């Protein structure tokens, strides 16, 4: 029963991306790192390829990669423009396939791995679903990070605008203004998302970085608006 279900799971994980010859186990070449081995039976494993993998001999679920490619995991092209519907379908498929309930009769180590995979899938989904987090992840993959604690890449007029909005949000009894600010934030986020997309299409990472920094300010404002409308 486990072997049959495991075969169904592998088809769900790979989808249309069948493993090619490069993913088969092979002996280590001179100067290369030794092939990883199954924690359960010890045989050499195929290259991971960013996807959850099972031992071809004993069918044991293997641990997640330490630094997986989230785009590959979620079956998405490495691009700022992704098919959100396809992402959502992939997420649901992986969550069902890797649910800890399926591993309830497996060894504790394997149950732990299933939980780790589920957590990773959640993180990947949240990262790629959000335009801001998706853009920041793309920058990270290209070795570019937003500078922390500095506004050196942001123009002064933009910072003044953000400051004025923050001051308005701090005013008491300003429900009408909050609704206005909420609509303004939504419009600006849509504009910035389009501009970020164009920057990535031009491979202009520095421009994308500046735009994502601005988008981050508007996300912070959005959180403040939500807190103002729904105080805890």
């Amino acid at each position: 029963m486990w072997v049959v279900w495991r075969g169904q799971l592998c088809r769900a994980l790979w989808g249309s991306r069948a493993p090619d010859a490069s993913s088969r186990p092979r002996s280590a070449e001179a100067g290369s790192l030794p092939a990883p081995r199954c924690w359960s039976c010890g045989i050499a494993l195929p290259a991971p390829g960013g996807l959850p993998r099972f031992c071809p001999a004993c069918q044991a679920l293997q641990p997640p990669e330490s630094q997986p490619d989230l785009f590959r995991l979620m079956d998405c092209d490495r691009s700022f423009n992704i098919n959100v519907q396809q992402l959502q379908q992939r997420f649901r498929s992986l969550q069902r396939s890797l649910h800890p309930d399926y591993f309830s009769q497996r060894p504790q180590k394997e149950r732990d791995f299933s939980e780790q995979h589920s957590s990773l899938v959640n993180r990947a989904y949240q990262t790629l679903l959000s335009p801001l987090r998706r853009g920041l992840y793309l920058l990270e993959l290209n070795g570019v990070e937003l500078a922390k604690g500095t506004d050196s890449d942001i123009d002064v007029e933009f910072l003044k605008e953000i400051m004025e909005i923050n001051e308005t949000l701090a005013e008491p009894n300003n429900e009408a203004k909050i609704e206005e600010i909420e609509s303004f934030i939504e419009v600006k986020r849509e504009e910035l998302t389009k501009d970020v997309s164009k920057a990535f299409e031009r491979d202009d990472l520095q421009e994308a970085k500046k735009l994502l920094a601005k988008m981050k300010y508007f996300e912070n404002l959005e959180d403040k608006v939500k807190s103002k409308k729904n105080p805890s």
Side-chain angles (χ1 to χ4, degrees), residues 13-187:
L13 295 177
W14 281 104
S16 60
R17 298 188 180 190
D20 58 24
S22 64
S23 67
R24 298 170 188 162
R26 57 189 176 188
S27 58
E29 300 175 358
S32 65
L33 294 175
R37 293 188 173 276
C38 173
W39 62 269
S40 180
C41 69
I43 75 160
L45 293 168
L51 298 171
R53 58 180 172 169
F54 290 83
C55 173
C58 69
Q59 285 79 51
L61 178 65
Q62 302 302 303
E65 293 180 69
S66 58
Q67 292 183 315
D69 184 328
L70 303 186
F71 284 99
R72 181 170 175 78
L73 173 62
M74 303 308 292
D75 201 21
C76 294
D77 294 330
R78 187 182 284 193
S79 168
F80 183 75
N81 298 315
I82 64 171
N83 186 321
V84 174
Q85 184 177 4
Q86 177 182 318
L87 172 66
Q88 292 170 335
Q89 291 174 347
R90 174 68 168 173
F91 172 68
R92 288 192 291 268
S93 175
L94 285 174
Q95 281 295 78
R96 286 194 301 268
S97 301
L98 291 167
H99 196 281
D101 286 352
Y102 285 116
F103 298 85
S104 60
Q105 302 303 313
R106 304 295 292 174
Q108 181 61 49
K109 192 169 188 175
E110 198 166 356
R111 296 202 298 271
D112 292 342
F113 288 154
S114 74
E115 292 179 359
Q116 292 171 21
H117 277 291
S118 292
S119 177
L120 174 60
V121 168
N122 274 319
R123 177 167 68 86
Y125 177 69
Q126 294 301 328
T127 298
L128 300 188
L129 184 64
S130 161
L132 172 60
R133 287 190 281 276
R134 183 167 67 245
L136 293 176
Y137 180 58
L138 271 174
L139 289 183
E140 179 185 333
L141 292 176
N142 286 278
V144 180
E145 293 186 18
L146 290 185
K148 296 180 180 179
T150 177
D151 299 319
S152 57
D153 292 334
I154 306 294
D155 60 85
V156 175
E157 290 303 315
F158 175 82
L159 292 175
K160 285 182 179 179
E161 182 180 40
I162 297 298
M163 188 179 300
E164 289 173 359
I165 295 174
N166 274 313
E167 290 174 351
T168 301
L169 288 174
E171 296 173 358
N173 304 319
N174 60 348
E175 286 78 7
K177 290 183 179 179
I178 288 177
E179 294 294 333
E180 183 180 333
I181 289 172
E182 189 173 31
S183 298
F184 174 74
I185 291 172
E186 181 61 29
V187 170

